[in-house]
Amino acid sequence: MLLRKNKIIIFLFFVFFSNKLASQDIKITNLNNYIEGLRGFSATFIQESENIINEGQLFIGNNRVRVEYYNPSKILIILDENKAMYYNYDLDEVEFFNPKNTTAWYFFEIFKNKQFLDKSKISSENKNIIISKSGVNGDIDYSLNIYFEEVPMVLRKIELITGGENFIISLGNHNYNEIF
């Protein structure tokens, strides 16, 4: 009789655990679909890093991510998979670089790499979904948290810790029909 009860408990535990994993996989799939659908998307943002506040606008096109900073300096960054451009309007200075070993890589990966969020940890808190991912880019550890409002699903915040730097980007004024 005891053996039968233990088998039932183990079975119920397995079913519960399997359902929880399947539910997380479905949420990751839904979040991936949401992010993949962000073509022709723009949002204003406030970025905090090293106690410096920057304001600007983020644009996501078919193949590129464009970031325009307005305050405190006017700067333009355009990213694609293998190259990026940085333009400082105040200094009239252009720099081309490989985004793979910079913080820009993470943002391109979030919005353009369909598998980037796979195997991420997912949690819910105060009607928000939080995706957490950590790993190594090059030889630098990183920790990433992406916050979504659950209903309706809206990307609200990205936190990145890498190389001793902490970036927090809060998004607002979402436009899903931006024309580039």
Side-chain angles (χ1 to χ4, degrees), residues 99-128:
K100 289 198 186 332
N101 295 322
T102 69
T103 54
W105 174 82
Y106 302 97
F107 298 100
F108 189 82
E109 288 294 300
I110 290 168
F111 295 113
K112 296 299 182 181
N113 181 348
K114 294 177 186 177
Q115 290 82 36
F116 184 68
L117 297 179
D118 293 350
K119 298 183 181 166
S120 297
K121 295 177 186 169
I122 188 165
S123 60
S124 295
E125 180 180 299
N126 297 327
K127 297 185 181 181
N128 292 305

Side-chain angles (χ1 to χ4, degrees), residues 72-104:
S73 297
K74 190 169 180 181
I75 295 170
L76 170 65
I77 299 173
I78 300 175
L79 308 165
D80 73 14
E81 186 173 359
N82 298 314
K83 60 186 179 267
M85 182 196 80
Y86 169 95
Y87 179 68
N88 185 320
Y89 288 93
D90 298 333
L91 301 175
D92 193 27
E93 181 178 88
V94 176
E95 180 181 339
F96 295 93
F97 62 96
N98 183 343
K100 289 198 186 332
N101 295 322
T102 69
T103 54

Side-chain angles (χ1 to χ4, degrees), residues 46-54 166-170:
I46 297 174
Q47 174 185 321
E48 179 185 348
S49 58
E50 299 177 17
N51 295 322
I52 297 172
I53 304 293
N54 294 295
N166 188 5
F167 297 89
I168 300 171
I169 298 175
S170 300

